[in-house]
Amino acid sequence: MTQTSVAPTEASAPDGLRPVDVARIRRDFPILARTVRNDRPLVYLDSAATSQKPEQVLEAESAYYRRCNAAVHRGAHQLAEEATDAYEEARRVIAGFVGASADDLVFTKNATESLNLVAYAFSNGTAKGVHAPDAVDPRFVLNPGDSIVVTQMEHHANLVPWQEVCAKTGATLRWIGLTDDGRLDLDGLDTVIDSTTRVVSIVHQSNLLGTINPVSEIMRRAQAVGAIGVVDGCQSIPHMPVDVTALGADLVAWSGHKMLGPTGIGMLWGRHEVLDAMPPFITGGSMIETVFMDHSTYAPAPKRFEAGTPMVAQAVGTAEAVRYLDALGMQNVAAHEHLLTGYALERLEDMRGVRIIGPRDNVARGSAISFVVEGIHPHDVGQFLDDRGVAVRVGHHCAWPTCRRFDVPATTRLSTYIYNDTTDIDVAVEGVRAAQEFFGV
Amino acid sequence: MNVESMYQEIILDHYKNPRGKGRLDSAAAESHQVNPTCGDEVTVQVATDDSGRLRVGYEGQGCSISQASASVMAEMVEGLDPKAAEEIRAAFLELMHSRGDAEPDEDILGDGVAFAGVAKYPARIKCALLPWMALQDAEVKAGITVTVEGETRS
């Protein structure tokens, strides 16, 4: 797209915040200069699915392979030393970004694996507890009668693993329901989370509704009943300042590719004491302390959870992404997106036949906006937008039960990031209008 | 190729005015197919009448392509010998996998030719095929023989 307009934050950044210079930022993202479908400029509004990557990140990853690629944490040669330094420095930088210490940050291959790592701590702990109760921290042994609590707005990655844990352990899955405007219904919180609750695993910001949840309040309740508290931070950490140690959670999962980093890397932060008590997930090389023919002992966290050759280049790339975001300032990123969200909500609200699924007020809400267009299936809306070069997500967004809650089979979702401005929203809105005209609704 | 040409008038017409939609009074079998990436759903029911001809009922929800495809399918195969229906199904499958390069045979495919443009959009091919997959599955469940000799497929 051509950058003739002024970035929306330019004139209106609140006191103490620095406007995000969209025109300058866009120059760092080579993909944003390409055209799609009939030479249309690309309008990328699908960052909640995956963000685009700046030149700096691509270069950091490439430079790692060009200069110091080697197996980490082994080998006595110089490259191995440099590769190990790059990997551990990345851990330090990424941990620092969320207010954490490097010792408490585990690298996984994506956020789904991070959440599975946590879920498997419970099913593996329960299985082990049958034969060797003394070898397992009782917090990770579940029994029939225990409950696990999620919300009705979870991504499948924070729902299906818990369904599996329940099936394996006999625990019961419970969930916090939603209000009609897409917020958590916290009225019955103390009944949903009660003395039987052993795990509370909730999303910080919904990928479908955009809702930002009061996680601290819910984590406090989890703590009060002695449950392990887990937060899915995939949609929040890339878009706002988050100090994982201040959420009251025991464990927080997120991914690199939604925050300007490469695919193939996820993060799991945990309170060290909790990580150290958790049974391992994937076992093998690198995660051990000693190995004999009949048994092994395991390395302390985070290594205990990093079996096999790790994602070194991806860690290096994600650390560079963090530097990029830090240079912008996460407060500024959040303010920029807040303005874009407000603008998009207003434009969509003004449209006949458009219903927003999720909070319509721009309060405690992120920039992922789902909507349905009366008389046109989201797939068809998406196709029309695609024809105009607009990339949005259509479907159930891996949150099928959330769609059912709002009685829609699917939604169209637009989501913004640092490289978007109001003109992107305008092109999308015009595309929706064209679809309405074409379908005669 | 632009999007308007993918949404042929025939497709929109079948989408807005679906033919033969509804359940059968007594079905021999049915198949429920879902596109798990987008949630499109279709249930196809089959039965045969006394002379062995196909009877088809369906219901579903989803995008214009999947629902129009179900309507076109129901209209075309209703009352056909199962073997003749299978010939159409095979031709439609071939068209969908043609990447938009095929010259569809209107004599075989009827309104199905309108879906030629859909084959250029990989994400939408599954939508168009959904009811046809349900038809095949329902026929197998109902024990309806649909084997077609290779040489009879054009």
Side-chain angles (χ1 to χ4, degrees):
Chain A
M1 63 175 294
T2 49
Q3 282 296 325
T4 48
S5 70
V6 174
T9 49
E10 205 88 19
S12 47
D15 292 344
L17 293 174
R18 206 168 60 248
V20 167
D21 184 346
V22 175
R24 188 187 60 75
I25 286 172
R26 289 180 64 89
R27 288 198 288 273
D28 290 333
F29 290 76
I31 205 169
L32 297 178
R34 68 161 285 184
T35 58
V36 291
R37 303 275 188 228
N38 308 318
D39 296 330
R40 299 276 190 165
L42 171 65
V43 175
Y44 191 74
L45 291 171
D46 198 17
S47 293
T50 194
S51 71
Q52 296 302 345
K53 326 298 175 196
E55 197 76 71
Q56 290 86 335
V57 168
L58 304 178
E59 177 53 32
E61 218 182 333
S62 164
Y64 165 78
Y65 280 124
R66 286 169 195 280
R67 234 193 109 60
C68 56
N69 176 55
V72 298
H73 293 306
R74 69 201 71 185
H77 52 79
Q78 185 179 340
L79 290 190
E81 266 172 33
E82 288 181 12
T84 304
D85 283 350
Y87 184 56
E88 293 306 329
E89 172 66 6
R91 195 192 305 273
R92 198 188 57 76
V93 169
I94 298 165
F97 181 66
V98 291
S101 139
D103 289 346
D104 304 341
L105 186 74
V106 178
F107 286 130
T108 61
K109 76 169 187 293
N110 51 39
T112 297
E113 185 182 305
S114 298
L115 290 163
N116 270 276
L117 188 162
V118 177
Y120 270 87
F122 290 91
S123 44
N124 288 343
T126 304
K128 236 184 201 176
V130 174
H131 306 290
D134 294 344
V136 192
D137 186 303
R139 284 176 296 177
F140 297 97
V141 177
L142 297 178
N143 291 295
D146 290 340
S147 66
I148 294 172
V149 174
V150 296
T151 77
Q152 208 176 1
M153 61 166 86
E154 297 308 324
H155 187 284
H156 295 165
N158 195 30
L159 174 63
V160 182
W162 298 114
Q163 294 173 345
E164 278 291 305
V165 171
C166 288
K168 288 183 229 173
T169 62
T172 304
L173 191 65
R174 294 179 181 172
W175 52 91
I176 302 167
L178 307 182
T179 62
D180 288 342
D181 60 347
R183 307 272 179 194
L184 290 179
D185 182 358
L186 295 175
D187 279 354
L189 185 64
D190 290 358
T191 350
V192 180
I193 301 175
D194 65 10
S195 60
T196 69
T197 306
R198 307 289 306 282
V199 187
V200 176
S201 190
I202 58 166
V203 66
H204 194 180
Q205 176 179 321
S206 161
N207 72 314
L208 190 146
L209 304 168
T211 319
I212 297 172
N213 292 319
V215 282
S216 299
E217 181 186 341
I218 299 164
M219 287 297 124
R220 262 199 304 279
R221 175 68 189 154
Q223 217 165 30
V225 299
I228 297 279
V230 188
V231 170
D232 168 3
C234 282
Q235 298 289 340
S236 56
I237 290 172
H239 298 278
M240 63 170 109
V242 176
D243 180 341
V244 291
T245 65
L247 298 176
D250 294 299
L251 298 147
V252 180
W254 77 103
S255 59
H257 73 99
K258 285 182 176 30
M259 51 185 282
L260 311 181
T263 56
I265 187 160
M267 272 65 70
L268 177 69
W269 168 84
R271 288 202 299 113
H272 204 82
E273 175 273 318
V274 174
L275 283 177
D276 258 349
M278 277 165 61
F281 172 38
I282 294 171
T283 55
S286 304
M287 54 78 68
I288 51 89
E289 184 185 52
T290 57
V291 177
F292 304 92
M293 275 317 290
D294 59 348
H295 75 282
S296 301
T297 57
Y298 304 129
K303 287 219 173 51
R304 166 186 308 192
F305 302 103
E306 294 182 359
T309 300
M311 298 64 64
V312 186
Q314 290 91 327
V316 168
T318 303
E320 196 58 32
V322 157
R323 290 189 189 99
Y324 192 96
L325 288 170
D326 263 339
L328 291 175
M330 287 309 289
Q331 290 285 2
N332 302 315
V333 169
H336 172 71
E337 293 208 60
H338 182 71
L339 287 171
L340 277 183
T341 305
Y343 182 79
L345 286 171
E346 223 169 88
R347 296 255 11 220
L348 289 168
E349 282 272 40
D350 279 349
M351 292 186 77
R352 176 186 48 79
V354 170
R355 174 185 160 211
I356 290 166
I357 307 295
R360 284 175 301 171
D361 50 340
N362 194 13
V363 177
R365 175 195 223 301
S367 66
I369 303 177
S370 272
F371 59 94
V372 289
V373 183
E374 199 183 317
I376 315 178
H377 190 275
H379 240 178
D380 297 316
V381 175
Q383 195 84 57
F384 252 80
L385 292 177
D386 169 66
D387 195 53
R388 294 174 167 243
V390 183
V392 294
R393 174 90 184 262
V394 297
H396 50 58
H397 315 288
C398 297
W400 211 335
T402 315
C403 283
R404 285 204 196 89
R405 163 64 182 79
F406 291 96
D407 211 18
V408 292
T411 74
T412 303
R413 179 188 70 190
L414 61 83
S415 55
T416 63
Y417 209 5
I418 51 174
Y419 34 67
N420 294 114
D421 66 11
T422 54
T423 59
D424 295 335
I425 309 288
D426 291 339
V427 178
V429 166
E430 281 317 306
V432 173
R433 194 161 283 147
Q436 286 177 313
E437 262 167 49
F438 183 77
F439 281 89
V441 293
Chain B
M1 177 87 194
N2 62 17
V3 73
E4 281 88 352
S5 64
M6 183 188 89
Y7 289 110
Q8 296 282 313
E9 203 52 53
I10 299 174
I11 294 180
L12 292 179
D13 184 46
H14 275 274
Y15 177 48
K16 288 177 179 169
N17 310 296
R19 329 280 206 267
K21 192 169 179 173
R23 299 179 71 83
L24 294 178
D25 295 337
S26 56
E30 68 175 46
S31 172
H32 176 67
Q33 296 289 325
V34 177
N35 183 349
T37 58
C38 64
D40 282 1
E41 295 180 58
V42 67
T43 300
V44 172
Q45 296 185 310
V46 294
T48 44
D49 63 17
D50 295 342
S51 51
R53 291 182 184 279
L54 209 52
R55 296 194 52 232
V56 174
Y58 74 95
E59 51 192 12
Q61 60 163 7
C63 68
S64 60
I65 303 298
S66 68
Q67 302 307 304
S69 180
S71 169
V72 168
M73 180 193 80
E75 189 175 61
M76 290 193 72
V77 304
E78 176 72 24
L80 284 189
D81 177 79
K83 203 169 160 181
E86 174 58 15
E87 225 175 292
I88 298 170
R89 199 191 69 83
F92 191 76
L93 199 72
E94 196 183 314
L95 176 65
M96 283 301 104
H97 291 147
S98 70
R99 296 178 173 275
D101 298 331
E103 275 296 325
D105 186 342
E106 197 168 352
D107 289 342
I108 299 176
L109 282 169
D111 281 358
V113 297
F115 290 82
V118 176
K120 289 209 169 175
Y121 294 94
R124 304 307 294 276
I125 294 170
K126 180 121 197 247
C127 307
L129 288 178
L130 201 64
W132 294 89
M133 286 163 58
L135 173 70
Q136 186 187 34
D137 187 46
E139 285 178 329
V140 170
K141 284 181 181 164
I144 299 171
T145 317
V146 292
T147 320
V148 178
E149 298 301 321
E151 58 268 26
T152 64
R153 297 188 195 189
S154 55

